[in-house]
Amino acid sequence: MENLIQLVNRLQRACTALGDHGEESALPTLWDALPSIAVVGGQSSGKSSVLESIVGKDFLPRGSGIVTRRPLVLQLHRLEQGSREYAEFGHLPRKKFTDFAAVRKEIADETDRETGRSKQISSVPIYLSIYSPNVVNLTLIDLPGLTKVAVEGQSDSIVADIENMVRAYIEKPNCIILAVSPANQDLATSDAIKISREVDPKGERTFGVLTKIDLMDKGTDAVDMLEGRAYKLQFPWIGVVNRSQADINKNVDMIAARRREKEYFSSTPEYRHLASRMGSEHLGKVMSKHLEAVIKSRIPGLQSLINKTIIDLESELSRLGKPIATDAGGKLYMVMEVCRTFDGIFKEHLDGVRPGGDKIYNVFDNQLPAALKRLQFDKQLSMDNVRKLITEADGYQPHLIAPEQGYRRLIESSLISIKGPAEAAVDAVHAILKDLVHKSISETTELKQYPSLRVEVNGAAVESLERMRDESKKATLQLVEMECSYLTVDFFRKLPQDIEKGGNPTHSIFDRYNDSYLRRIGSNVLSYVNMVCASLRNSIPKSVVYCQVREAKRSLLDHFFTDLGKKEGRQLGTLLDEDPAIMQRRLSLAKRLELYRAAQSEIDSVAWSK
């Protein structure tokens, strides 16, 4: 089975390359879920020497005051014996460093790039991978040394700033704490022990390391501390002997320093019984073994996080929409697809799959009948109005048998008033269709992605509806005009006649205008108008549906599609004017999704092979 730490290192490197650390993302991050080891200690506690001893190389900047001013994420990768050692930085991914003095200089330079040539600190990490046959697979995070006072050139808040930075790392439940304390200092005053006790009161994830054992006053030793009597942790304390400043000045080889460290513990009577679990080499092996055990225990949680995050990423990518095509044909296809989606949603509103189409039926079933009823034809056919139109129609010569022209004028003047409700029905349906267009646009996720296309589609759809409204109004008013221009003869033939078969009138010409006669004419006209009105009540909706609703379903964007075919790639590109921030967000999410899918595959393969 592949070493679990190597797998986690690879995933952490991928997270590093993508900036997937959770600082700017609301989604959970793989980085936070992967176990790591944070090295904590006060200034001059020997943290840097411990790390160099584990690595077996001089690679960390040295000096007085705060030297580590940014977190250093150090990933160690064990190579086969005989392989050449080298290092790589996350910010210089294709450059291999074989000179570790150059590594030290690059750490210092990269720190200055972020903080300037000051003594200020930054929480932005430096990522360093070291490949060597002399290391164990391990990930360590070197944090700035805890301090109690600010020195010249530092802000007054630096003490709290460093503590907050350290705490931000070691508070995470997946973080293993490597608490470094000098043996020649009382553990009660140890900065590393103090802060680790606050975040890990039971010591379940804290390893204690004692440095400078060889520098203790004569007659004193660190046995009580190393055996856990001075301060007990769940894991045994480990003592290390770092190189002296004289050794550093003489460039004493790290491998030789490790041998001298072993000799010190095995030859010193106070520590001889502890020698097998002392030293930086033992520390590296213990931490590597423990880290691998922790990773193994976290695999179910990692799988759950990865699966959930993949779902979240896929959901957000779906919400953001597809990336924009680069060629003209691809852009045209994208525009057409978005428009078809919008058109499909619009049809769903009309067909009742989505709400809104029922309002059109309400126009026909309630608004139109109510408007026709408000015309009050009986008032238009009052006695005075009938008398006026009948007498005017006779002109200078009274009618002989039936006042046909009077009848026609009465009918036409009544029917012409139906044009108002007919136009109102057309306008009401137009308003509903227009509202459904706006709703459909707001419900088309893809159109939210492209503001210019949304405006164009809205404009084209409304323009089509206006053309359909004009055609519908023309056709509907023609229905009314047809009724006005041709009266149904059969209706009047069935009415009781004023003339007997012999042709003698029942009244004299001079009695034609009596109230009874005029009332009869008004009643006949009202019956005919009501009959026509009932017919138009059915035919007007048919005309409106045919000219507006049916056409909107059939050809709402036909003119727009015709114009699209004439546009060039650059013009199509202006329609797909996606917000650059969204484009960048989609690209970032796609890379994260790729990372998490790869992680899912690798974690699953490890889980199945256990």
Side-chain angles (χ1 to χ4, degrees):
M1 182 178 71
E2 179 188 23
N3 186 283
L4 286 172
I5 298 176
Q6 289 179 325
L7 169 61
V8 169
N9 282 352
R10 189 162 61 252
L11 295 178
Q12 286 175 326
R13 287 200 304 277
C15 290
T16 301
L18 294 181
D20 188 63
H21 312 310
E23 292 92 342
E24 299 178 357
S25 173
L27 295 172
T29 63
L30 183 57
W31 176 272
D32 287 338
L34 296 172
S36 58
I37 301 171
V39 185
V40 182
Q43 283 185 31
S44 303
S45 62
K47 282 193 308 93
S48 296
S49 295
V50 170
L51 288 171
E52 288 184 332
S53 295
I54 292 173
V55 175
K57 285 289 180 184
D58 288 315
F59 69 98
L60 292 173
R62 292 182 178 276
S64 60
I66 299 179
V67 179
T68 304
R69 292 185 285 118
R70 290 175 61 181
L72 175 68
V73 179
L74 176 63
Q75 294 182 328
L76 306 181
H77 308 269
R78 184 176 180 83
L79 300 179
E80 293 181 2
Q81 287 298 324
S83 300
R84 191 178 184 185
E85 297 172 308
Y86 67 94
E88 285 183 346
F89 285 94
H91 61 276
L92 299 170
R94 286 176 291 278
K95 184 175 181 180
K96 290 186 178 181
F97 289 77
T98 54
D99 180 0
F100 282 80
V103 173
R104 181 188 305 113
K105 183 177 184 303
E106 181 58 31
I107 292 173
D109 290 346
E110 177 63 13
T111 299
D112 289 342
R113 290 184 197 113
E114 181 66 27
T115 64
R117 292 186 177 277
S118 66
K119 296 183 179 180
Q120 299 304 317
I121 64 168
S122 169
S123 61
V124 179
I126 296 173
Y127 298 93
L128 174 63
S129 293
I130 294 179
Y131 301 80
S132 169
N134 301 315
V135 300
V136 291
N137 292 306
L138 198 57
T139 297
L140 298 162
I141 304 172
D142 185 22
L143 297 168
L146 296 159
T147 184
K148 292 181 173 63
V149 293
V151 298
E152 186 178 352
Q154 296 174 346
S155 64
D156 294 336
S157 65
I158 195 165
V159 175
D161 292 342
I162 292 176
E163 182 174 331
N164 291 337
M165 184 194 303
V166 171
R167 195 180 297 276
Y169 277 90
I170 66 176
E171 278 180 339
K172 297 174 182 177
N174 288 311
C175 180
I176 301 163
I177 304 169
L178 194 61
V180 179
S181 300
N184 57 357
Q185 174 187 319
D186 187 353
L187 280 182
T189 63
S190 168
D191 296 310
I193 292 300
K194 177 178 178 293
I195 196 168
S196 62
R197 181 190 296 160
E198 291 174 5
V199 300
D200 181 31
K202 295 182 179 178
E204 295 174 340
R205 50 190 181 88
T206 301
F207 283 79
V209 178
L210 278 181
T211 61
K212 304 184 180 183
I213 293 176
D214 56 326
L215 301 181
M216 296 182 72
D217 292 338
K218 286 186 178 181
T220 62
D221 60 58
V223 174
D224 281 350
M225 289 184 278
L226 292 174
E227 291 185 344
R229 288 191 291 273
Y231 183 78
K232 186 172 180 60
L233 294 170
Q234 286 202 14
F235 304 101
W237 282 79
I238 298 174
V240 297
V241 174
N242 300 325
R243 290 180 303 164
S244 66
Q245 189 60 47
D247 291 338
I248 294 171
N249 294 338
K250 293 176 184 177
N251 291 321
V252 173
D253 179 70
M254 274 291 193
I255 305 303
R258 283 182 181 176
R259 285 198 299 269
R260 287 174 55 179
E261 182 184 42
K262 282 185 179 179
E263 290 171 3
Y264 174 83
F265 283 111
S266 60
S267 61
T268 303
E270 291 85 357
Y271 306 120
R272 193 175 295 146
H273 67 292
L274 300 171
S276 62
R277 59 179 182 87
M278 295 292 119
S280 54
E281 190 173 355
H282 175 74
L283 173 63
K285 290 177 181 178
V286 167
M287 298 312 298
S288 179
K289 186 176 181 181
H290 181 74
L291 182 59
E292 187 162 356
V294 171
I295 293 170
K296 191 177 292 186
S297 69
R298 297 289 194 277
I299 284 179
L302 282 171
Q303 288 175 308
S304 176
L305 169 69
I306 289 170
N307 293 339
K308 181 182 183 304
T309 307
I310 286 175
I311 293 171
D312 291 340
L313 290 169
E314 288 174 338
S315 175
E316 188 169 355
L317 275 172
S318 176
R319 183 181 61 80
L320 291 177
K322 298 177 182 177
I324 300 173
T326 54
D327 60 299
K331 289 176 181 176
L332 178 61
Y333 177 79
M334 284 190 70
V335 173
M336 296 285 284
E337 281 297 294
V338 172
C339 291
R340 288 192 187 100
T341 301
F342 154 75
D343 196 47
I345 292 172
F346 177 71
K347 288 175 181 175
E348 287 180 355
H349 278 291
L350 293 176
D351 292 336
V353 178
R354 297 171 187 251
D358 54 304
K359 293 180 181 178
I360 295 174
Y361 176 73
N362 184 60
V363 171
F364 302 146
D365 195 49
N366 292 310
Q367 289 179 236
L368 178 61
L372 292 173
K373 189 174 183 180
R374 283 194 297 270
L375 292 176
Q376 297 182 328
F377 296 120
D378 53 340
K379 291 186 178 179
Q380 293 183 39
L381 297 171
S382 65
M383 188 74 70
D384 292 340
N385 202 34
V386 171
R387 179 181 285 108
K388 180 176 178 294
L389 288 180
I390 290 293
T391 55
E392 286 176 354
D394 280 351
Y396 70 92
Q397 183 172 303
H399 61 270
L400 299 175
I401 301 175
E404 182 176 327
Q405 287 302 320
Y407 266 101
R408 289 186 183 277
R409 289 191 183 183
L410 284 169
I411 292 171
E412 287 173 8
S413 66
S414 297
L415 293 180
I416 205 76
S417 63
I418 298 177
K419 284 188 175 182
E423 284 187 295
V426 171
D427 289 336
V429 171
H430 173 74
I432 292 168
L433 292 174
K434 193 174 175 181
D435 182 59
L436 292 180
V437 162
H438 296 326
K439 279 187 178 179
S440 300
I441 284 176
S442 67
E443 292 169 5
T444 305
T445 305
E446 293 82 353
L447 282 175
K448 295 177 183 177
Q449 190 175 342
Y450 310 113
S452 291
L453 180 58
R454 182 169 66 242
V455 171
E456 289 289 327
V457 169
N458 182 74
V462 170
E463 190 177 326
S464 288
L465 291 179
E466 287 172 351
R467 281 195 298 268
M468 295 168 191
R469 177 196 59 192
D470 294 343
E471 287 297 317
S472 179
K473 194 167 288 188
K474 182 179 176 182
T476 303
L477 293 180
Q478 278 183 338
L479 288 176
V480 180
E481 289 166 359
M482 283 190 288
E483 294 291 353
C484 294
S485 62
Y486 185 80
L487 308 182
T488 306
V489 179
D490 286 348
F491 177 84
F492 292 98
R493 284 177 178 168
K494 295 176 182 178
L495 292 176
Q497 299 298 310
D498 287 334
I499 307 299
E500 299 293 335
K501 289 184 179 180
N504 296 320
T506 56
H507 302 281
S508 69
I509 290 173
F510 303 104
D511 292 334
R512 290 292 188 183
Y513 304 117
N514 63 44
D515 289 352
S516 176
Y517 179 65
L518 294 174
R519 196 176 295 113
R520 187 174 175 188
I521 290 174
S523 176
N524 291 340
V525 169
L526 181 60
S527 297
Y528 181 80
V529 169
N530 284 335
M531 180 192 75
V532 172
C533 190
S535 175
L536 287 174
R537 179 178 169 178
N538 292 322
S539 57
I540 288 173
K542 291 179 180 180
S543 174
V544 170
V545 168
Y546 183 83
C547 296
Q548 289 174 267
V549 181
R550 175 180 169 275
E551 279 302 297
K553 286 180 65 176
R554 192 176 66 86
S555 60
L556 183 64
L557 295 178
D558 278 7
H559 285 79
F560 181 65
F561 289 151
T562 301
D563 291 339
L564 274 181
K566 301 173 185 176
K567 292 184 183 292
E568 299 177 354
R570 183 179 59 80
Q571 294 171 307
L572 291 169
T574 61
L575 293 177
L576 301 171
D577 61 337
E578 186 175 38
D579 184 345
I582 294 178
M583 295 175 67
Q584 185 58 43
R585 178 65 176 159
R586 184 190 297 107
L587 183 63
S588 173
L589 288 172
K591 287 181 177 179
R592 284 190 70 194
L593 182 59
E594 184 180 356
L595 162 66
Y596 277 77
R597 282 174 174 163
Q600 182 185 52
S601 176
E602 294 196 58
I603 293 290
D604 287 350
S605 66
V606 168
W608 281 105
S609 63
K610 287 195 298 182

